[in-house]
Amino acid sequence: MRVEHVGREHLLRLEAREVALLVDILEAALPAEALTGVAAPNPRLSAFFNDVYSHLLDTAREVWHRDPGGRALPLGPG
């Protein structure tokens, strides 16, 4: 992962395996009831999660498909 800082903006450069891990972390850390529906206690968190999730899910699925043994792949070369 690389992070580029430009003023008040921060650009994350993630490898596909890091994307899959990030999606795994989001799914594990945030219960569905906290993210959906009108009763979501934190609408900003819900919107952020949905943006990240919807933009990265296809890449994560590609990684998971390449490793049918499971998710939460170890990072590193390969």
Side-chain angles (χ1 to χ4, degrees):
M1 175 178 81
R2 288 184 29 212
V3 180
E4 295 179 24
H5 305 278
V6 180
R8 296 185 65 172
E9 294 185 3
H10 312 281
L11 177 64
L12 294 176
R13 293 184 176 261
L14 303 173
E15 294 179 11
R17 295 174 70 120
E18 293 168 324
V19 167
L21 182 60
L22 176 59
V23 171
D24 277 340
I25 291 168
L26 289 173
E27 286 180 339
L30 302 170
E33 62 272 8
L35 297 171
T36 58
V38 249
N42 189 335
R44 293 175 71 187
L45 177 62
S46 179
F48 177 77
F49 173 86
N50 288 323
D51 282 348
V52 170
Y53 193 79
S54 65
H55 286 95
L56 300 180
L57 186 58
D58 287 342
T59 300
R61 284 181 175 154
E62 289 174 15
V63 172
W64 298 330
H65 181 72
R66 284 195 304 259
D67 180 23
R71 292 164 65 146
L73 302 174
L75 296 177

